[in-house]
Amino acid sequence: MPIKKINDTLYLRLPARTGATNGNNAANASDAINATNAIHVGDTTAKQGTSGIQTMPLALALAMRGRPLRTATASLSELAPQVTQVSEVVLLLAASDVTLLRVAVPPLSATRLRAALPSLIEEFVIGDTAECAIAAGAEADGQRLIAVCDRAWLKSWIDALRNSGARHVHVLPISLCLPSPNAHLSAALFQYGQRYELALRLSDHEGIGLAVEIDDEMQLPSAVAQLLATLAANRPVQLSVPASQVSLFDKWIDTQQLSQITLIEQQWSDWIAASARVSVDLISAFEGKQRAAFPWREWRWPLALAAAVSLFNIAALNTDWWRLRSEGLQLRDEITEIYRRSFPNETVVLDPLAQLKQKIAASRQASGQLNTSDFVVLAAALGEVWREAGNDLRAIDALEYRDGTLTIKLKKAAQVSLAAMRSPLAARELQLTPSPTDPLLWQVKHL
């Protein structure tokens, strides 16, 4: 079945993993309520559904914004190309495969709750709780809804979907996807090959599923009615059946004049709408917080382009760095060569530019020229700017000159404007900065 490449949800209704049970329906139905409190794990029947997953026919629906677009039946191998194209896949487990419990749970964090779940349901499990997939729903009235099913069987389905490229996977019991019971209970008859199963939703948090034992299809309505009479306790029931069974059930109900059963045709829209309100998701039994698989296939070309652009930029930056480095080395060699030609008697050349400046300054000083970093030049410029800013000369306590820097020590409580002096000094290529250790010390030096 072709599915367009859109971000929708794919619903898959899994067949029941257990085989049909022996005995008559009335006896099975009378024990059904107790069966929810005794969970069998690790037996042979629990493992029968793990083979042939890829070829097993599945009822499915593709929905957008909670509205089914199309329905069909296909195997997982046939759906593999489409599984990667939907935003999420929702597995609907058969009602007989999931046991729903209401358990009083103390306030715990999500991590501690997951660790405590096996101990909380241990009294209800016949077998090892490690073989169970356990998930807890939201808390209500001091209790939590807990769903339990066979772990190995469910994991085989989840792994098959992951290997097919599913991004998000959710696992819900179909008994809780039936319409919420109000004035009547909700029941649904499902057909899995030659086997029939009745799912019944007793309340918002309770559901049960039982196999329907028949020798002939004509016995199906009476067998279902017998189970409903035992489980529903004369409460009105809304029963949904496959379209192929509507006529058979309708005639039988009219013949028997059963006013307690309201017959409707099964609709995927009812299950999809109810699934949005299910609080328990069995996928949490396998991962604390589901992480979506990144759609590498869809992003392969943008990622390849981004990688190519990044490599190009890195190569361009390294090429530019190598060019600038070569130019810097060439310029340093030229300055060194000029310095050696100008001062052939100098044997040690560590920083040719700094040494050249020192030599030029020394030559100017020897010829009587003043250097821009000399004391006289700095002091004269400071005096001019000091008067222009309107500062009192008596605010200066001392002047100190060292290594081309003129240090001004101010008297305490001196009222001097630093900002008013910076611009005039900058115009004379001088820089005025306060000392980081003493606010009364200012330094003036050539830029």
Side-chain angles (χ1 to χ4, degrees), residues 379-391:
L382 176 64
E384 292 177 3
V385 173
W386 196 277
R387 286 192 299 271
E388 291 176 3
N391 296 324

PDB file of all heavy atoms in Angstrom, residues 379-391:
ATOM      1  N   ALA A 379      55.992  66.297  29.983  1.00  0.00           N
ATOM      2  CA  ALA A 379      55.641  67.288  31.006  1.00  0.00           C
ATOM      3  C   ALA A 379      55.050  68.544  30.377  1.00  0.00           C
ATOM      4  O   ALA A 379      54.088  69.119  30.896  1.00  0.00           O
ATOM      5  CB  ALA A 379      56.878  67.632  31.837  1.00  0.00           C
ATOM      6  N   ALA A 380      55.627  68.993  29.238  1.00  0.00           N
ATOM      7  CA  ALA A 380      55.105  70.194  28.570  1.00  0.00           C
ATOM      8  C   ALA A 380      53.682  69.969  28.082  1.00  0.00           C
ATOM      9  O   ALA A 380      52.794  70.822  28.244  1.00  0.00           O
ATOM     10  CB  ALA A 380      56.019  70.581  27.415  1.00  0.00           C
ATOM     11  N   ALA A 381      53.446  68.802  27.457  1.00  0.00           N
ATOM     12  CA  ALA A 381      52.094  68.509  26.970  1.00  0.00           C
ATOM     13  C   ALA A 381      51.108  68.405  28.131  1.00  0.00           C
ATOM     14  O   ALA A 381      49.969  68.896  28.041  1.00  0.00           O
ATOM     15  CB  ALA A 381      52.114  67.206  26.169  1.00  0.00           C
ATOM     16  N   LEU A 382      51.549  67.791  29.230  1.00  0.00           N
ATOM     17  CA  LEU A 382      50.666  67.667  30.398  1.00  0.00           C
ATOM     18  C   LEU A 382      50.329  69.042  30.961  1.00  0.00           C
ATOM     19  O   LEU A 382      49.174  69.309  31.333  1.00  0.00           O
ATOM     20  CB  LEU A 382      51.332  66.796  31.459  1.00  0.00           C
ATOM     21  CG  LEU A 382      50.568  66.646  32.779  1.00  0.00           C
ATOM     22  CD1 LEU A 382      49.238  65.927  32.547  1.00  0.00           C
ATOM     23  CD2 LEU A 382      51.407  65.890  33.809  1.00  0.00           C
ATOM     24  N   GLY A 383      51.317  69.946  31.019  1.00  0.00           N
ATOM     25  CA  GLY A 383      51.047  71.268  31.559  1.00  0.00           C
ATOM     26  C   GLY A 383      50.034  72.027  30.710  1.00  0.00           C
ATOM     27  O   GLY A 383      49.148  72.712  31.243  1.00  0.00           O
ATOM     28  N   GLU A 384      50.175  71.947  29.381  1.00  0.00           N
ATOM     29  CA  GLU A 384      49.233  72.653  28.509  1.00  0.00           C
ATOM     30  C   GLU A 384      47.815  72.124  28.692  1.00  0.00           C
ATOM     31  O   GLU A 384      46.850  72.891  28.837  1.00  0.00           O
ATOM     32  CB  GLU A 384      49.667  72.489  27.054  1.00  0.00           C
ATOM     33  CG  GLU A 384      50.974  73.200  26.709  1.00  0.00           C
ATOM     34  CD  GLU A 384      51.373  72.945  25.276  1.00  0.00           C
ATOM     35  OE1 GLU A 384      50.595  72.262  24.556  1.00  0.00           O
ATOM     36  OE2 GLU A 384      52.458  73.406  24.868  1.00  0.00           O
ATOM     37  N   VAL A 385      47.682  70.807  28.700  1.00  0.00           N
ATOM     38  CA  VAL A 385      46.343  70.208  28.820  1.00  0.00           C
ATOM     39  C   VAL A 385      45.776  70.461  30.204  1.00  0.00           C
ATOM     40  O   VAL A 385      44.562  70.676  30.369  1.00  0.00           O
ATOM     41  CB  VAL A 385      46.419  68.698  28.516  1.00  0.00           C
ATOM     42  CG1 VAL A 385      45.087  68.013  28.801  1.00  0.00           C
ATOM     43  CG2 VAL A 385      46.836  68.463  27.063  1.00  0.00           C
ATOM     44  N   TRP A 386      46.641  70.467  31.206  1.00  0.00           N
ATOM     45  CA  TRP A 386      46.180  70.693  32.589  1.00  0.00           C
ATOM     46  C   TRP A 386      45.522  72.058  32.710  1.00  0.00           C
ATOM     47  O   TRP A 386      44.462  72.196  33.329  1.00  0.00           O
ATOM     48  CB  TRP A 386      47.377  70.550  33.540  1.00  0.00           C
ATOM     49  CG  TRP A 386      46.994  70.381  34.987  1.00  0.00           C
ATOM     50  CD1 TRP A 386      46.693  71.362  35.867  1.00  0.00           C
ATOM     51  CD2 TRP A 386      46.863  69.152  35.694  1.00  0.00           C
ATOM     52  NE1 TRP A 386      46.401  70.855  37.095  1.00  0.00           N
ATOM     53  CE2 TRP A 386      46.489  69.460  37.013  1.00  0.00           C
ATOM     54  CE3 TRP A 386      47.034  67.814  35.362  1.00  0.00           C
ATOM     55  CZ2 TRP A 386      46.288  68.500  37.993  1.00  0.00           C
ATOM     56  CZ3 TRP A 386      46.841  66.868  36.340  1.00  0.00           C
ATOM     57  CH2 TRP A 386      46.457  67.201  37.622  1.00  0.00           C
ATOM     58  N   ARG A 387      46.144  73.072  32.127  1.00  0.00           N
ATOM     59  CA  ARG A 387      45.594  74.429  32.198  1.00  0.00           C
ATOM     60  C   ARG A 387      44.331  74.531  31.331  1.00  0.00           C
ATOM     61  O   ARG A 387      43.365  75.202  31.722  1.00  0.00           O
ATOM     62  CB  ARG A 387      46.643  75.446  31.734  1.00  0.00           C
ATOM     63  CG  ARG A 387      47.762  75.676  32.761  1.00  0.00           C
ATOM     64  CD  ARG A 387      48.613  76.878  32.394  1.00  0.00           C
ATOM     65  NE  ARG A 387      49.275  76.689  31.099  1.00  0.00           N
ATOM     66  CZ  ARG A 387      50.453  76.135  30.943  1.00  0.00           C
ATOM     67  NH1 ARG A 387      51.123  75.705  32.003  1.00  0.00           N
ATOM     68  NH2 ARG A 387      50.982  75.993  29.739  1.00  0.00           N
ATOM     69  N   GLU A 388      44.320  73.892  30.163  1.00  0.00           N
ATOM     70  CA  GLU A 388      43.140  73.958  29.311  1.00  0.00           C
ATOM     71  C   GLU A 388      41.921  73.329  29.988  1.00  0.00           C
ATOM     72  O   GLU A 388      40.786  73.783  29.800  1.00  0.00           O
ATOM     73  CB  GLU A 388      43.407  73.239  27.983  1.00  0.00           C
ATOM     74  CG  GLU A 388      44.410  73.946  27.089  1.00  0.00           C
ATOM     75  CD  GLU A 388      44.712  73.148  25.836  1.00  0.00           C
ATOM     76  OE1 GLU A 388      44.076  72.065  25.675  1.00  0.00           O
ATOM     77  OE2 GLU A 388      45.565  73.567  25.042  1.00  0.00           O
ATOM     78  N   ALA A 389      42.142  72.296  30.775  1.00  0.00           N
ATOM     79  CA  ALA A 389      41.034  71.632  31.463  1.00  0.00           C
ATOM     80  C   ALA A 389      40.590  72.390  32.698  1.00  0.00           C
ATOM     81  O   ALA A 389      39.583  72.021  33.333  1.00  0.00           O
ATOM     82  CB  ALA A 389      41.439  70.204  31.844  1.00  0.00           C
ATOM     83  N   GLY A 390      41.332  73.456  33.075  1.00  0.00           N
ATOM     84  CA  GLY A 390      40.954  74.253  34.243  1.00  0.00           C
ATOM     85  C   GLY A 390      41.288  73.605  35.563  1.00  0.00           C
ATOM     86  O   GLY A 390      40.681  73.925  36.596  1.00  0.00           O
ATOM     87  N   ASN A 391      42.246  72.675  35.562  1.00  0.00           N
ATOM     88  CA  ASN A 391      42.638  72.005  36.803  1.00  0.00           C
ATOM     89  C   ASN A 391      43.647  72.856  37.572  1.00  0.00           C
ATOM     90  O   ASN A 391      44.412  73.647  36.994  1.00  0.00           O
ATOM     91  CB  ASN A 391      43.241  70.633  36.504  1.00  0.00           C
ATOM     92  CG  ASN A 391      42.223  69.697  35.870  1.00  0.00           C
ATOM     93  OD1 ASN A 391      41.044  69.736  36.216  1.00  0.00           O
ATOM     94  ND2 ASN A 391      42.699  68.860  34.947  1.00  0.00           N
TER      95      ASN A 391
END
